[in-house]
Every structure is written in structure tokens, then in C-alpha cells.
């Protein structure tokens, strides 16, 4: 059953008429479907089968505590971009060791707090940020788990304002510079190399840009292996396009299989 559907010409959220909700709570109001949220997350989770994985919800999409709590209860991970998002996840029952800290402007205090609660990994956007994380980790005598976000220079075939994987976009490290940063991290006593990160944009309706980016990520992975740098996870990002008006979008199972 669809989370939202028309029954007798009246929009329903699951089995509840929106008109009844309006009568009870007033209008305008936001209505979410718990079943819809759980089913969408499980579609990704189940597509991986027995392959080791963690499906992380991007908190920036909706940081409502009830929404986060629903996801925490079913075992979701979380992709955060600020300390405020991290604190909301923790209050909602999420686990710090299932949080990956993305974003381009992590402050010293944010890094300190993330290390204090045991965040799973920092997705590093630049050489200066790598230095900042190392400096903070040293000051608190901890080892910071890091993943470097690379820019694969791939056209996501989406709107230019929500494209993040082209060379001219502001996000991520140039593929040709990534090896040097990984070697710096590998030698540091206060950094622990964990992953390799890539995110190419949002509202993507074709799987081919994801695969093009992954091809480049895997080439870099081979290069890292030859230099004795072990990568424990790939963080593969990008937003699956929403079917707003019957447009063709990505089949999740086919995408994960690919």
C-alpha cells in the first residue's frame, strides 16, 4: 500500500484521511508516514543482502526528532554536516558510531565533540581540513577516523545547482591530489584511515553517473593498495531522484546490484 494515496477522492496518509488530520490539528501541517520512512530505508538495506553495509540517512533532508527516532530504532546510520545534527541524532536515540561527519566547514569545537562521542568517520573535504582534524585529535590525545571525499569529475546529469561531482564544483579533493593526502594521514599518529568517500549530487535519475564515479573510485583504491594504504569502507553518495510526476527514476535493487 502506498503511504499517500487517494481514496474516494480524498488524500490519505496510510489509512488516515488528511481532512481528518486537518480537523484535528489545523492547517497548514506537516504529515509524515512512518511506514513510508521505514520502507524506503529498508529498500536500500535489503538490497545489499548479506554484503557488509551501513545505510546512512542524510539528516539535512529532515532533522525532525521523531523522523530520526524512527530511523534510529530500525538500525539506520546517519550522515551529518554539523554538530547540531549530531546532537539531534543522539537525542533521538541514534548512535555516534553509526554517524559519518560530512560537510565543508567543520569547526574545532565540532571536531572535538565528534571525537568525544566516538563518531564513526570524518569525511574530509580538503588538505586544510585534514590538518585541522589532526591538530584537534592531537590536542585531545585521540585518533580520528577519516575518509577523504574525492571529486571524480563526473556529470551527474542533474540540475547544476545540486551537482557536486564535477571538477568545477566546490566539493571534494581532486582525484590526483587524494593519494598525497592519504599518505599524510597514513603517517599520522592521530589519524586513522578508514574510508574513501564520493558524492556526486542530488535528484539523479540515471544509474550510469554513479557507476562512472565508482569506476574512478575503484581505480584510486587500487592505487592506494599499491602504496600499502588499506581502505575499510567506501562511502558512495548521491541522491536518488524522486518520481514526482511519473518520471522514470532509479530502481534501488538494480542500482545496488550494479
Amino acid at each position: 500500500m502506498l503511504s499517500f494515496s487517494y481514496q474516494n477522492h480524498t488524500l490519505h496518509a496510510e489509512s488516515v484521511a488528511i481532512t481528518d488530520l486537518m480537523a484535528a490539528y489545523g492547517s497548514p501541517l506537516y504529515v509524515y508516514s512512518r511506514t513510508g520512512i521505514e520502507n524506503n530505508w529498508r529498500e536500500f538495506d535489503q538490497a545489499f543482502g548479506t554484503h557488509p553495509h551501513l545505510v546512512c540517512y542524510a539528516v539535512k533532508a529532515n532533522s525532525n526528532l521523531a523522523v530520526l527516532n524512527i530511523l534510529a530504532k530500525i538500525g539506520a546510520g546517519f550522515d551529518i554536516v554539523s554538530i547540531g545534527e549530531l546532537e539531534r541524532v543522539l537525542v533521538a536515540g541514534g548512535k555516534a558510531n553509526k554517524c559519518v561527519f560530512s560537510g565543508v566547514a567543520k569547526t574545532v569545537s565540532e571536531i572535538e565533540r565528534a571525537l568525544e562521542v566516538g563518531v564513526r568517520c570524518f569525511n574530509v573535504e580538503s588538505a586544510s581540513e585534514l590538518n585541522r582534524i589532526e591538530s584537534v585529535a592531537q590536542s585531545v590525545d585521540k585518533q580520528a577516523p577519516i575518509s577523504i571525499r574525492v571529486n571524480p569529475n563526473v556529470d551527474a546529469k542533474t540540475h547544476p545547482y545540486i551537482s557536486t561531482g564535477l571538477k568545477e564544483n566546490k566539493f571534494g579533493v581532486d582525484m590526483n591530489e587524494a593519494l598525497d593526502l592519504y599518505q599524510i594521514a597514513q603517517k599520522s599518529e592521530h589519524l586513522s584511515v578508514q574510508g574513501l568517500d564520493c558524492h556526486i549530487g542530488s535528484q539523479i535519475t540515471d544509474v550510469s553517473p554513479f557507476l562512472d564515479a565508482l569506476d574512478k573510485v575503484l581505480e584510486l583504491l587500487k592505487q592506494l593498495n599499491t602504496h600499502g594504504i588499506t581502505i575499510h569502507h567506501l562511502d558512495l553518495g548521491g541522491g536518488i531522484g524522486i518520481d514526482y510526476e511519473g518520471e522514470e527514476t532509479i530502481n534501488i535493487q538494480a542500482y545496488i546490484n550494479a
Side-chain angles (χ1 to χ4, degrees), residues 31-253:
V31 180
Y32 303 107
S33 165
R34 177 176 188 148
T35 299
I37 292 168
E38 291 176 341
N39 287 348
N40 284 344
W41 183 84
R42 287 194 172 109
E43 187 173 10
F44 279 93
D45 186 54
Q46 292 171 2
F48 281 97
T50 59
H51 191 86
H53 65 278
L54 177 64
V55 180
C56 292
Y57 171 74
V59 178
K60 64 177 176 283
N62 187 334
S63 60
N64 179 286
L65 291 176
V67 170
L68 299 181
N69 179 251
I70 288 169
L71 289 160
K73 284 181 176 178
I74 59 176
F78 297 91
D79 182 281
I80 60 170
V81 296
S82 71
I83 200 65
E85 289 187 358
L86 173 60
E87 299 294 0
R88 293 182 76 83
V89 167
L90 296 178
V91 168
K95 298 183 183 302
N97 63 7
K98 286 189 173 182
C99 289
V100 290
F101 200 153
S102 302
V104 297
K106 304 176 192 71
T107 65
V108 168
S109 60
E110 288 181 318
I111 296 166
E112 286 176 343
R113 176 60 174 156
L115 286 171
E116 178 187 357
V117 298
V119 76
R120 185 184 191 90
C121 194
F122 292 94
N123 286 338
V124 180
E125 294 269 357
S126 65
S128 60
E129 184 176 86
L130 186 69
N131 291 336
R132 186 180 309 125
I133 293 172
E134 181 183 31
S135 176
V136 174
Q138 183 176 8
S139 71
V140 297
D141 194 25
K142 290 193 175 184
Q143 198 175 48
I146 66 101
S147 171
I148 292 175
R149 176 177 177 177
V150 296
N151 185 316
N153 195 26
V154 165
D155 185 0
K157 302 176 184 176
T158 187
H159 192 284
Y161 287 178
I162 52 176
S163 176
T164 61
L166 285 169
K167 198 167 186 177
E168 59 264 30
N169 298 139
K170 64 183 178 181
F171 301 100
V173 175
D174 187 287
M175 295 287 281
N176 297 320
E177 300 172 8
L179 175 59
D180 289 342
L181 291 188
Y182 272 110
Q183 289 178 317
I184 291 170
Q186 182 83 343
K187 294 174 184 175
S188 172
E189 294 180 6
H190 296 283
L191 298 174
S192 173
V193 174
Q194 293 296 314
L196 174 53
D197 175 36
C198 179
H199 187 293
I200 60 173
S202 302
Q203 190 55 23
I204 301 170
T205 57
D206 179 7
V207 74
S208 60
F210 286 118
L211 300 183
D212 291 343
L214 181 55
D215 284 341
K216 294 189 176 184
V217 165
L218 293 177
E219 282 300 315
L220 176 58
L221 186 66
K222 292 178 184 176
Q223 192 178 6
L224 293 172
N225 284 336
T226 63
H227 285 81
I229 298 171
T230 301
I231 298 298
H232 302 284
H233 73 254
L234 297 180
D235 186 339
L236 304 172
I240 304 298
I242 299 298
D243 174 8
Y244 285 109
E245 297 178 353
E247 308 101 321
E248 184 176 345
T249 189
I250 293 172
N251 176 279
I252 302 303
Q253 185 68 66

